[in-house]
Amino acid sequence: MQAAIAEARRGRATGGIPIGSVIVCDGRIIGRGHNQRIQRGSATLHGEMAAFENAGRQPAEVYRRSTIYTTLSPCSMCSGAILLYGIPRVVVGENRTFLGEEDWLRSRGVSVEVIQDETCIALMADFISDHPELWNEDIGEPT
C-alpha cells in the first residue's frame, strides 16, 4: 500500500487527484500508476487504469496471480478492468470518501480487503474539500 500512496502523492503533486495504485505479482510490482485525468485530459486514466497501462501486456496467468492495491475504492470502470483481467485480490486503502464497486467485485469471487488507512483518507478528504468540482467530475457527478 505504501507504493500506491506514493503514487497518489505523485498525482497530487502534479496537480491531479490523489489516487494511486500498484499491481503486484509474486511479490514484485509489475505496474504502478496514479490518476492523471486532469494532467493528461483523459476520460479514463484513473489510478488503477494507469497501473494496468504501465504493467503492459501480461499473460493472463500473471494477472490471475496478482493483487491490486489502490488507495481508494475502485469505481465501476476500474472494477470492470479488475474483473476482465482476473485479478483475484484487491486491497483498498479507504472507502469512506467514496464507496466503489466492492460488492460487485465480491459477488464475482474477488477478495476485497479494506484497510481504512488514515493517510489515504486524509489525502482524499483534503482534495475533495479543496477541489469539489474536480472530484465530482472524476466520479461522473454534476458540478
Side-chain angles (χ1 to χ4, degrees):
M1 185 57 67
Q2 292 308 310
I5 291 170
E7 285 295 324
R9 286 184 169 137
R10 189 170 292 120
R12 185 69 185 103
T14 58
I17 300 169
I19 303 168
S21 184
V22 295
I23 302 170
V24 176
C25 182
D26 301 331
R28 182 176 68 85
I29 294 174
I30 62 169
R32 61 176 61 233
H34 53 272
N35 186 304
Q36 295 179 60
R37 289 189 68 250
I38 295 167
Q39 301 94 315
R40 303 229 354 233
S42 171
T44 60
L45 206 48
H46 284 190
E48 299 91 338
M49 301 304 282
F52 276 114
E53 182 67 21
N54 291 324
R57 287 180 57 197
Q58 297 290 331
E61 61 269 10
V62 169
Y63 285 125
R64 289 190 170 94
R65 292 195 321 268
S66 295
T67 297
I68 189 164
Y69 294 81
T70 180
T71 58
L72 186 66
S73 185
C75 72
S76 301
M77 175 179 63
C78 296
S79 294
I82 289 165
L83 292 173
L84 177 68
Y85 291 106
I87 303 280
R89 180 172 178 244
V90 180
V91 179
V92 176
E94 69 104 348
N95 65 5
R96 290 184 189 163
T97 58
F98 177 78
L99 178 58
E101 298 295 337
E102 295 170 21
D103 288 341
W104 182 41
L105 289 168
R106 288 184 184 106
S107 77
R108 299 286 302 271
V110 176
S111 170
V112 179
E113 176 186 352
V114 181
I115 60 176
Q116 301 300 10
D117 180 89
E118 292 301 323
T119 299
C120 295
I121 294 166
L123 281 167
M124 283 310 303
D126 290 347
F127 180 82
I128 292 168
S129 175
D130 293 345
H131 302 284
E133 71 291 348
L134 294 175
W135 173 242
N136 285 336
E137 176 188 315
D138 195 62
I139 61 172
E141 294 291 326
T143 55

